[in-house]
Amino acid sequence: MTTLTLAKALNEGMRKAMEDDPKVLVMGEDVGKLGGVFRVTDGLQKDFGEDRVIDTPLAESGIIGTAIGLALRGYRPVCEIQFDGFVFPAADQIITQLAKMPLRSLGAIRLPVVVRIPCGGGIGAVEHHSESPEAYFTHTAGLRVVACSNPADAYTMIQQAIRCDDPVVFFEPKRRYWDKAEVDTSPGEGDWPAFDQARVARSGADITLLAYGPMVKTCLEAAAAAEEDGRSVEVVDLRSLNPLDMPAVAESVRRTGRCVVVHEAPVFSGYGAELAARITEECFYSLEAPVLRVGGPSTPYPPSRLEEHYLPDLDRVLDAVDRSFAF
Amino acid sequence: MTADASRGAQAPPELVQLLTPEGERVEHPDYDIDLTPEEVRGLYRDLVMIRRVDLEAVALQRQGELGIWASLLGQEAAQIGSGRALTEADMAFPTYREHGVAWCRGVDPLNLLGLFRGVNHGGWNPAEHNFHLYTIVIGSQTLHAVGYAMGIQRDGAVGEDGAATIVYFGDGATSQGDVNESFIWASVFNAPVVFFCQNNQWAISEPLEKQSRIPLYRRASGFGFPGIRVDGNDVFACLAVTRQALKNAREGQGPTLIEAFTYRMGAHTTSDDPTRYRVQDELEAWKLKDPIERVRAYLFKNQLADQAFFDKIDAEADELGRDVRRRCLEMPDPEPLEIFDHVYTEPHRLMDEERARFAAYLAGFESEESSR
């Protein structure tokens, strides 16, 4: 056991992957000497050299496009997109090429490319630095989309993403980068939870909160507060958004009969809509109330002085829990 | 602005040419080529064969057997010349019109037709031929080529026996961000890549003036690597110039931009109507520069081939056309459940779930049929 921040856990996970496989590369803007703007790649260039930890020109489409070419030559690039809002210049390469090229080749091509994206708000940043673009990517067939919520998962999930032969969009909850936790780095791959497996982060009997990435912690805090009111709240950390571990979700919701979905992204047409629809289809006779959604308003992300009003917090989650029980 | 009827009426001064439209060998101070008669006859055969495949594909589209076809008519020399400059270890990244390069890389022409017939989106194994899949979004493949070239560098495969990549794109693509980013990447990393731009003068209906104020090959200097313009209808010059650029790339001298100055004799695709935007005079002027006629004239004049040879090639081409047609018509439609194949490489529960549900749905019709 070792105490790691989430950022350091990612760093250690990448380091391990680079040690295990010489084909693993890290590439992105400022990932070298600086170690990335969040220091997630800190020290990697010093230890693995400039050929394996590549400071790229400042162009996101170029990062993903050349990563595809490197993957075609047998490499496993891990690309850092500096901030969520900067992924859009690369959207064409991700959506039209990375996601679709294996199918285009009828399986002859594998593209083990990881696209790391620090996501979400809560750090007082300027525009384009606080977004939650996951639904754009979960909607794109050919991509796997995952989100880690804590240091232990960060350590294993980044290694699983790198080992995966499919392209993976890997969301990192930037405001949780500095959260610390005990991480057991000793178990090998065989003992890790499956890459597409959800995790019950807290057991409960009365209602299920579904969350991923930065909102898992918020939901755990809400569950602790609700317990004081005598409500037993289960929190499920989805971890993998595409594919979704629907059996785990359905099992929890059938047991509790109530469900609230929580994410930072705008509610309208967000990932929660898919969850709500699927739960309604699969758990209809178990539901005591409609699936409720908590998320950002259907507006662009506001200036940072307003973000505390935009982001779901403990009170908004508890409010939704109350509304669910009011049915 | 209307189309400029004088476009290409005189050869631009910087153009590398080794074989005139009349079939005369000319000298160039920087480039030369020493081909055996057998090699020249081989190039002639390549040119004729791929034009025949192209002709057959256009006909198949007109008869409803292909959804669409992008003809290479007029660009045979640019593609065969550059394609024959590649070694086996080199990797080529095409657009959707590189039928001639595909031919040089040993891709069965039938595979090219599959995409346009709609039975797949590509479907050959790029690693088998060192010829990547056709890329339809304009310019995207330039970055893939540069990334691949960076992989060659990391494999330590730069050097005399090294490998290089070549990437094809058109004049319209030079306006794309990805193409410009690929120039920057290639330059900064000194990647072993040759950018082969077929300037066929038209991006669907938009003339070159809509893309650039300067000759395209001169763009390279701003990115810090050499650019050169070659007569794209001269298979000798295309071969010589590409061969040199690939050699430079392989030996660690970095990228080159080649602008092959040519002309799209046909429509952009079979869905296009060029009579709406360009004048017939322009076409007539370029007909006189046909890439095949000049090789034929050269062979004839220099007594390197006789009528029997030309007849034999024509017969072989006709046979290829018939063969491509027959196999195209025999190409089976894919099975409905193949929609779910190859979306992911590793098991994916959503694919499994949707495939199973769709299979059950389809099976419902079968049981209805059988109960009748």
Side-chain angles (χ1 to χ4, degrees), chain A residues 23 25 27 50-52 54-70 72-73 75-76 89 92-93 96-97 99 101-111 140-144 163-167 196-198 242-247 278 281-282, chain B residues 89 91 93 115 119-127 130 132-157 163 177-178 181-182 184-185 188-189 338-351 353-354 357:
Chain A
K23 293 292 188 185
L25 308 175
M27 54 196 293
E50 291 185 18
D51 272 355
R52 291 190 66 193
I54 307 167
D55 267 330
T56 65
L58 214 159
E60 287 77 10
S61 189
I63 295 172
I64 304 301
T66 53
I68 290 169
L70 281 157
L72 290 171
R73 184 76 190 181
Y75 287 87
R76 305 183 87 88
D92 172 56
Q93 283 289 344
T96 67
Q97 303 302 329
M101 201 181 283
L103 170 75
R104 199 175 296 150
S105 74
L106 299 181
I109 287 173
R110 297 179 172 204
L111 291 181
T140 300
L143 302 175
R144 286 174 190 268
R163 288 171 189 225
C164 183
D165 273 345
D166 291 315
D196 62 356
Q197 189 182 326
N242 186 1
L244 166 68
D245 186 357
M246 193 58 204
R278 284 189 173 258
E281 284 171 16
E282 293 195 23
Chain B
M91 178 75 187
F93 287 81
L115 183 161
V119 302
N120 58 43
H121 291 318
W124 60 88
N125 183 351
N130 271 0
H132 191 64
L133 298 164
Y134 276 3
T135 298
I136 293 176
V137 175
I138 302 300
S140 301
Q141 73 281 6
T142 54
L143 284 167
H144 310 155
V146 174
Y148 193 94
M150 290 167 69
I152 291 174
Q153 289 176 307
R154 278 155 184 75
D155 290 344
D178 277 1
E181 289 183 24
S182 74
I184 291 167
W185 245 262
V188 166
F189 293 106
E338 288 178 32
I339 290 171
F340 300 98
D341 292 348
H342 310 301
V343 180
Y344 293 91
T345 300
E346 299 196 9
H348 189 283
R349 59 174 99 217
L350 183 64
M351 289 303 103
E353 176 195 318
E354 292 195 3
R357 197 182 302 153

Side-chain angles (χ1 to χ4, degrees), chain B residues 191-213:
Chain B
V193 58
V194 173
F195 294 105
F196 195 91
C197 174
Q198 288 168 82
N199 174 4
N200 69 13
Q201 314 299 329
W202 292 95
I204 306 189
S205 71
E206 296 197 5
L208 187 65
E209 301 90 84
K210 299 284 182 195
Q211 319 292 341
S212 189
R213 281 172 68 137

Side-chain angles (χ1 to χ4, degrees), chain A:
Chain A
M1 282 286 188
T2 169
T3 305
L4 296 175
T5 63
L6 194 151
K8 185 64 178 166
L10 289 166
N11 179 284
E12 291 291 332
M14 278 188 279
R15 174 179 294 277
K16 183 73 171 49
M18 294 184 83
E19 285 167 357
D20 290 349
D21 183 351
K23 293 292 188 185
V24 176
L25 308 175
V26 166
M27 54 196 293
E29 297 156 6
D30 308 299
V31 297
K33 281 203 177 79
L34 183 68
V37 294
F38 290 106
R39 309 294 182 263
V40 175
T41 57
D42 187 34
L44 296 179
Q45 192 184 62
K46 184 168 73 64
D47 294 338
F48 294 100
E50 291 185 18
D51 272 355
R52 291 190 66 193
V53 181
I54 307 167
D55 267 330
T56 65
L58 214 159
E60 287 77 10
S61 189
I63 295 172
I64 304 301
T66 53
I68 290 169
L70 281 157
L72 290 171
R73 184 76 190 181
Y75 287 87
R76 305 183 87 88
V78 184
C79 305
E80 177 170 302
I81 299 294
Q82 199 158 69
F83 282 92
D84 33 59
F86 303 166
V87 71
F88 301 109
D92 172 56
Q93 283 289 344
I94 295 174
I95 294 168
T96 67
Q97 303 302 329
L98 183 61
K100 298 185 174 74
M101 201 181 283
L103 170 75
R104 199 175 296 150
S105 74
L106 299 181
I109 287 173
R110 297 179 172 204
L111 291 181
V113 175
V114 180
V115 183
R116 293 181 39 237
I117 308 177
C119 69
I123 64 162
V126 296
E127 199 184 0
H128 316 302
H129 290 66
S130 305
E131 298 179 8
S132 300
E134 63 271 15
Y136 297 114
F137 300 107
T138 58
H139 194 64
T140 300
L143 302 175
R144 286 174 190 268
V145 181
V146 301
C148 62
S149 70
N150 62 76
D153 274 354
Y155 177 73
T156 53
M157 285 172 71
I158 189 67
Q159 292 183 70
Q160 287 171 306
I162 293 167
R163 288 171 189 225
C164 183
D165 273 345
D166 291 315
V168 177
V169 178
F170 192 95
F171 283 104
E172 302 171 2
K174 70 167 82 78
R175 69 167 134 153
R176 311 295 186 206
Y177 271 146
W178 302 277
D179 286 5
K180 285 182 183 166
E182 291 286 300
V183 177
D184 186 358
T185 56
S186 57
E189 189 183 5
D191 297 318
W192 296 340
F195 192 41
D196 62 356
Q197 189 182 326
R199 177 181 67 98
V200 176
R202 180 189 171 105
S203 297
D206 300 335
I207 186 167
T208 300
L209 300 181
L210 296 179
Y212 50 89
M215 282 292 105
V216 173
K217 187 180 182 188
T218 305
C219 287
L220 288 171
E221 288 166 359
E227 192 174 30
E228 291 170 19
D229 297 336
R231 278 180 182 151
S232 172
V233 177
E234 178 147 306
V235 178
V236 176
D237 179 354
L238 295 177
R239 294 174 9 113
S240 175
L241 305 186
N242 186 1
L244 166 68
D245 186 357
M246 193 58 204
V249 169
E251 189 281 322
S252 176
V253 175
R254 286 198 193 106
R255 192 155 35 72
T256 62
R258 297 176 198 277
C259 182
V260 175
V261 180
V262 185
H263 54 54
E264 289 189 19
V267 166
F268 184 81
S269 210
Y271 189 71
E274 180 64 34
L275 292 170
R278 284 189 173 258
I279 292 165
T280 306
E281 284 171 16
E282 293 195 23
C283 312
F284 188 70
Y285 292 107
S286 306
L287 286 172
E288 304 289 341
V291 180
L292 298 179
R293 290 174 289 163
V294 177
S298 302
T299 68
Y301 200 84
S304 62
R305 295 280 175 158
L306 284 170
E307 71 180 341
E308 65 176 291
H309 300 289
Y310 180 93
L311 290 169
D313 60 7
L314 186 146
D315 287 333
R316 282 195 24 217
V317 175
L318 290 176
D319 174 64
V321 169
D322 287 344
R323 284 190 284 127
S324 178
F325 276 98
F327 271 94

Side-chain angles (χ1 to χ4, degrees), chain B residues 210-286:
Chain B
K210 299 284 182 195
Q211 319 292 341
S212 189
R213 281 172 68 137
I214 61 162
L216 294 175
Y217 76 96
R218 283 199 209 151
R219 294 258 183 99
S221 72
F223 292 92
F225 53 86
I228 184 156
R229 180 183 271 179
V230 59
D231 181 347
N233 287 16
D234 173 355
V235 71
F236 293 179
C238 287
L239 178 57
V241 168
T242 311
R243 204 175 253 175
Q244 184 62 48
L246 284 166
K247 181 169 182 284
N248 293 348
R250 278 186 221 111
E251 291 178 358
Q253 295 177 52
T256 302
L257 169 63
I258 298 171
E259 177 191 359
F261 201 80
T262 182
Y263 193 78
R264 193 193 77 208
M265 294 300 285
H268 163 69
T269 67
T270 45
S271 303
D272 179 33
D273 175 10
T275 64
R276 292 176 71 95
Y277 54 82
R278 68 184 189 187
V279 295
Q280 188 64 24
D281 285 0
E282 188 176 300
L283 205 63
E284 297 303 326
W286 277 94

